[in-house]
């Protein structure tokens, strides 16, 4: 055996066997709590905009450490994008936040989820209500032409603690106008960002802004109505339950893949 061959056998032995490995193509940090990254797309992965997959890294024991992440990129994209929180003592995100271009991430190519257009009955208008990283599935949906073919109006509401936490969504919305595929539909999308712990043009929790009528007044729209409106919700457990209650009080019924109806919800990834 040549010296060269001996070295490569040694390297191969040390390299971890990573099932379903994809390569990181870019990483963007927004705050000390938030970042996004893109990876190559598994050839076998077909998904509907709004769905999530299990992704992760190899754990200390050599076993994959996986969590559910909404795919933030649209279904036509060559790559996959994810938007993540950084938790300093979180088993996965304490390490995931340090990934660099060229690193490998595990992506299990089995998409699932309820935040899909097929889980809702046709209507005029759709509201996307997100807090924090809950904007990820909507980042996918607002870049999908199918959304604009189904709805006349799309309203994306994003509540965060601080202004910097809105940047990921704000940049996406801004870029939409110049997107060759979506640009022509961009005028159908209304973006309504709010903050709760730092001064910004619109302050308050989305729930309070709905309940006191501010949201509808600002948008010049009528209150929620099951005849015309659909709602997708993605945030903390508290947010999901509170908005679910608001939807039900307005007469909207929860839908699913097997039984489409008027609103759907999913918990945003935390930890
Ligand atoms: P608040 O600052 O009033 O708690 P977090 O970073 O904790 O996930 O929260 C993200 C955003 O979601 C914050 O602006 C937070 O507001 C808001 N939020 C948390 N829980 C709810 C809820 N039940 N209803 C509406 N907004 C919520």
């Amino acid at each position: 055996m040549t010296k060269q061959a001996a070295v490569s056998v040694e390297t191969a032995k040390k390299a971890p066997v990573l099932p379903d490995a994809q390569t990181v193509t870019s990483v963007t940090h927004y705050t000390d709590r938030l970042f996004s990254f893109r990876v190559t797309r598994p050839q076998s992965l077909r998904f509907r905009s709004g769905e999530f997959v299990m992704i992760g890294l190899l754990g200390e024991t050599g076993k994959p450490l996986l969590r559910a992440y909404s795919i933030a990129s649209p279904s036509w994209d060559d790559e996959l994008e994810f938007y993540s929180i950084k938790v300093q003592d979180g088993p996965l995100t304490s390490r995931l936040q340090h990934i660099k271009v060229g690193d490998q991430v595990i992506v299990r190519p089995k998409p699932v989820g309820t935040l899909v257009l097929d889980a809702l009955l046709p209507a005029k208008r759709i509201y996307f209500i997100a807090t924090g990283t809950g904007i990820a599935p909507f980042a996918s949906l607002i870049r999908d032409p199918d959304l604009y073919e189904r709805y006349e109006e799309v309203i994306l509401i994003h509540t965060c603690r601080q202004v910097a936490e809105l940047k990921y969504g704000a940049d996406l919305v801004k870029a939409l106008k110049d997107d060759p595929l979506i640009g022509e539909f961009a005028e159908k999308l209304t973006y309504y960002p709010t903050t709760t712990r730092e001064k910004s043009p619109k302050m308050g929790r989305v729930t309070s802004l709905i309940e006191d009528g501010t949201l509808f007044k600002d948008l010049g729209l009528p209150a929620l109505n099951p005849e015309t409106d659909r709602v997708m919700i993605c945030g903390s457990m508290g947010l999901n339950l509170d908005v679910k209650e608001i939807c039900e009080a307005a007469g909207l019924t929860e839908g699913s893949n097997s039984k489409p109806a008027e609103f759907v919800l999913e918990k945003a990834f935390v930890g």
Side-chain angles (χ1 to χ4, degrees):
M1 195 187 281
T2 63
K3 196 174 171 203
Q4 183 79 44
V7 169
S8 50
V9 167
E10 200 47 41
T11 316
K13 252 196 255 165
K14 274 189 201 146
V17 185
L18 216 50
D20 297 326
Q22 297 301 321
T23 306
V24 177
T25 57
S26 69
V27 185
T28 308
H29 292 273
Y30 293 92
T31 69
D32 57 358
R33 298 204 313 144
L34 294 165
F35 73 114
S36 71
F37 58 98
R38 292 175 71 86
V39 302
T40 51
R41 178 169 175 168
Q43 274 188 343
S44 62
L45 177 62
R46 299 278 172 277
F47 68 97
R48 293 177 294 171
S49 297
E51 287 186 313
F52 65 83
V53 283
M54 301 301 290
I55 72 166
L57 299 169
L58 272 194
E60 304 292 320
T61 60
K63 273 201 186 145
L65 179 59
L66 303 174
R67 295 285 184 271
Y69 269 82
S70 287
I71 302 172
S73 46
S75 54
W76 51 262
D77 202 326
D78 288 341
E79 294 181 339
L80 298 179
E81 183 173 306
F82 299 99
Y83 184 49
S84 179
I85 195 143
K86 304 174 192 176
V87 181
Q88 295 319 327
D89 56 358
L92 179 61
T93 62
S94 61
R95 291 173 51 213
L96 195 63
Q97 64 182 286
H98 299 298
I99 53 167
K100 302 256 176 316
V101 171
D103 286 353
Q104 303 219 306
V105 170
I106 303 167
V107 178
R108 293 271 193 256
K110 292 194 180 63
V112 282
T114 54
L115 299 181
V116 291
L117 296 172
D118 292 341
L120 294 173
L121 296 168
K124 178 176 182 190
R125 186 180 300 126
I126 187 163
Y127 290 88
F128 293 150
I129 300 180
T131 53
T133 55
I135 194 172
F138 306 136
S140 173
L141 281 156
I142 61 166
R143 289 184 274 182
D144 188 336
D146 192 22
L147 170 70
Y148 303 97
E149 273 149 28
R150 294 190 193 215
Y151 293 95
E152 284 174 35
E153 290 174 62
V154 178
I155 295 118
L156 171 63
I157 305 163
H158 192 200
T159 298
C160 290
R161 297 181 188 190
Q162 266 121 22
V163 175
E165 295 172 340
L166 293 169
K167 186 169 165 46
Y168 173 73
D171 285 355
L172 273 182
V173 171
K174 216 182 291 163
L176 226 50
K177 276 200 299 302
D178 303 318
D179 187 308
L181 199 62
I182 302 299
E184 62 173 304
F185 305 116
E187 61 183 28
K188 288 189 167 189
L189 176 71
T190 302
Y191 174 53
Y192 191 93
T194 87
T195 56
T196 51
R197 303 193 195 188
E198 186 184 2
K199 204 165 179 323
S200 76
K202 184 54 65 178
M203 293 198 62
R205 284 180 163 203
V206 55
T207 42
S208 319
L209 296 163
I210 293 177
E211 278 166 338
D212 71 7
T214 304
L215 178 95
F216 302 106
K217 199 161 139 244
D218 286 347
L219 297 173
L221 291 174
L224 284 179
N225 177 342
E227 297 289 310
T228 48
D229 301 328
R230 300 291 171 261
V231 183
M232 286 195 184
I233 311 157
C234 190
S236 62
M237 194 69 91
L239 178 275
N240 288 2
L241 291 176
D242 290 349
V243 182
K244 177 185 160 98
E245 224 168 82
I246 290 173
C247 288
E248 286 175 343
L252 281 72
T253 312
E254 187 168 357
S256 66
N257 274 289
S258 57
K259 198 164 179 292
E262 287 133 9
F263 77 93
V264 281
L265 58 86
E266 209 154 73
K267 194 164 142 295
F269 169 72
V270 280

